[in-house]
Amino acid sequence: MKFKKFLLLGLVAVLMLVSVACSQGTTGGEKATSDGVQKIKIANYFAEDHPQNIALKEKFKKIVEEKTNGKVVVEIYPSNQLGDEAQFTNGVRNGTVEMAITGMGLQTANPKIGAVEWPYLFDNYDHAKKALDGEVGDEIEAEFRKLGVEPLAWTVNGFRVISANRSIKSMDDFKGFRLRMPNIPIFVNTGKALGTSVQPLPLSEVFTALEQKVIDGQENPYATLKASGFYEVQTSVLESNHMFSPNVYLMNKKLFDGFDKETQQIILEAAQESANYEWELLLKSENEVKDFLKEKGLEIIVPDAAFKEQMVKAMDPVYQDLYKQFDWAEAFVQKVRDLK
């Protein structure tokens, strides 16, 4: 009996030592190596030549590795190489992936995160950047932290436009128009408010649905319209700019908090410089995409003031529902609009 008790006590002691050793390691998908080098894997769903990945490679990776003297190594995994957005976002939350560039998918866990995508919230890119880099962004960043992730910087995916198989020049043209939108309540409600027949579909099914005329159109930023080849089966684009799609650099919070203050500052500064560069690249590429679409024969329709006002006004019921659902919503929207 004494021998068994001795073995049991020994086993408990070993387990305690293992637990302590694990707790002292760096939290993240990759532990720091024996020489103290920390590897940061960055997951995203963008193509390798997208402004997001160009900025990561030319700015974030370069700055972090140089200023930490190689103690932090950055590896970039584009095009869903580490799983789809939901998978790698959850990976950042639980620490199996160190960092990611994501959209506002975490609104499913915290609705306030999705508020920056509400319809006609921002007037233009300057308005959006001012808000996200200021108090509005700070307010949303606090919500991210509640979910175990550290937001480092805001980037841009773009304002969403509507591609179609016919011209849309008035509210009447939305009647009977079968519009694909993501299966997210705020998106679906926005499409319905415009008067369209919303058809929720995964992005992977959109091209075939357009080609087979199961749907009449889809909505996404210009960059996605080109990258996904939707222009091949569409004839026009309504520059509705009905929703703004931002992205954010997210790092596992325990990993970020575990760095010393100097390294944290290097990471934050690198992220902001990379994000600013991405904004520049994206805006430049958007104009190039427009020229490309015109060359392919697509009509770019810029709504006149009256049509634009009607689309904005159509969102009133959507906002009234949001104000009823969330006690913070009206004050948040007012804060954004005061920045105009």
Side-chain angles (χ1 to χ4, degrees):
M1 290 295 291
K2 288 182 178 180
F3 181 69
K4 289 182 179 179
K5 185 177 181 180
F6 175 79
L7 287 178
L8 180 60
L9 290 172
L11 179 60
V12 170
V14 170
L15 290 174
M16 289 178 67
L17 287 171
V18 171
S19 177
V20 170
C22 290
S23 67
Q24 290 176 342
T26 303
T27 300
E30 290 282 347
K31 304 296 183 185
T33 59
S34 59
D35 58 357
V37 175
Q38 171 67 52
K39 185 183 295 182
I40 296 179
K41 299 192 301 292
I42 306 179
N44 67 74
Y45 54 81
F46 298 98
E48 191 168 354
D49 60 353
H50 189 280
Q52 296 279 7
N53 283 305
I54 294 174
L56 279 177
K57 182 179 179 180
E58 295 184 7
K59 297 294 182 180
F60 186 81
K61 175 180 172 67
K62 182 179 180 181
I63 293 170
V64 169
E65 292 182 348
E66 286 184 355
K67 290 194 174 183
T68 62
N69 296 315
K71 290 298 183 180
V72 179
V73 175
V74 176
E75 295 182 352
I76 303 166
Y77 293 84
S79 305
N80 289 326
Q81 289 180 21
L82 298 184
D84 61 27
E85 184 179 10
Q87 291 173 319
F88 61 66
T89 301
N90 285 329
V92 176
R93 291 184 68 186
N94 63 38
T96 58
V97 178
E98 290 81 13
M99 186 174 162
I101 300 179
T102 75
M104 301 300 107
L106 284 177
Q107 65 185 280
T108 56
N110 186 325
K112 194 168 187 177
I113 287 172
V116 290
E117 289 188 311
W118 287 356
Y120 293 111
L121 183 64
F122 301 114
D123 285 354
N124 49 49
Y125 285 113
D126 288 339
H127 183 201
K129 196 170 194 314
K130 182 179 181 181
L132 294 175
D133 286 345
E135 289 185 12
V136 171
D138 292 343
E139 193 169 330
I140 301 301
E141 288 168 14
E143 305 304 316
F144 276 116
R145 294 187 183 99
K146 294 176 183 178
L147 300 178
V149 293
E150 180 66 31
L152 306 177
W154 292 91
T155 63
V156 56
N157 198 13
F159 279 96
R160 301 177 80 92
V161 298
I162 299 173
S163 70
N165 58 12
R166 59 177 182 264
S167 296
I168 300 177
K169 297 182 177 179
S170 71
M171 295 298 288
D172 287 340
D173 293 329
F174 284 129
K175 295 177 180 177
F177 185 81
R178 296 166 298 176
L179 176 65
R180 179 270 171 183
M181 297 194 89
N183 193 20
I184 299 173
I186 188 62
F187 284 82
V188 173
N189 293 340
T190 296
K192 289 181 177 179
L194 288 173
T196 71
S197 173
V198 177
Q199 309 292 315
L201 285 174
L203 187 63
S204 59
E205 298 178 14
V206 174
F207 185 92
T208 301
L210 290 170
E211 187 176 38
Q212 296 178 351
K213 302 189 185 305
V214 174
I215 55 176
D216 300 309
Q218 63 83 46
E219 54 80 55
N220 261 300
Y222 272 111
T224 304
L225 174 56
K226 180 185 177 185
S228 300
F230 298 149
Y231 62 88
E232 296 178 10
V233 284
Q234 302 277 259
T235 60
S236 69
V237 178
L238 171 64
E239 203 164 274
S240 52
N241 291 351
H242 53 283
M243 301 172 88
F244 176 77
S245 287
N247 289 95
V248 63
Y249 286 12
L250 294 180
M251 179 176 283
N252 175 270
K253 194 171 190 316
K254 288 184 179 179
L255 172 62
F256 181 80
D257 290 345
F259 286 118
D260 59 71
K261 295 297 182 182
E262 182 181 0
T263 303
Q264 287 181 353
Q265 192 60 35
I266 289 171
I267 290 171
L268 288 170
E269 290 177 358
Q272 192 58 61
E273 187 166 339
S274 180
N276 290 339
Y277 185 47
E278 191 275 337
W279 278 81
E280 293 176 16
L281 293 175
L282 192 285
L283 297 187
K284 180 182 178 182
S285 70
E286 187 169 283
N287 290 326
E288 293 171 350
V289 170
K290 290 182 187 181
D291 291 339
F292 172 84
L293 295 176
K294 290 176 183 176
E295 291 174 2
K296 293 296 182 179
L298 274 72
E299 177 187 18
I300 306 292
I301 302 168
V302 178
D304 59 28
F307 184 18
K308 180 66 174 288
E309 184 178 356
Q310 289 174 333
M311 288 190 285
V312 173
K313 187 68 176 175
M315 298 302 122
D316 285 351
V318 175
Y319 274 98
Q320 291 306 314
D321 286 343
L322 290 169
Y323 296 158
K324 290 177 182 177
Q325 288 183 61
F326 310 114
D327 57 7
W328 48 263
E330 193 164 4
F332 177 83
V333 170
Q334 191 58 52
K335 181 183 292 186
V336 173
R337 291 177 176 168
D338 285 344
L339 294 172
K340 293 181 181 181

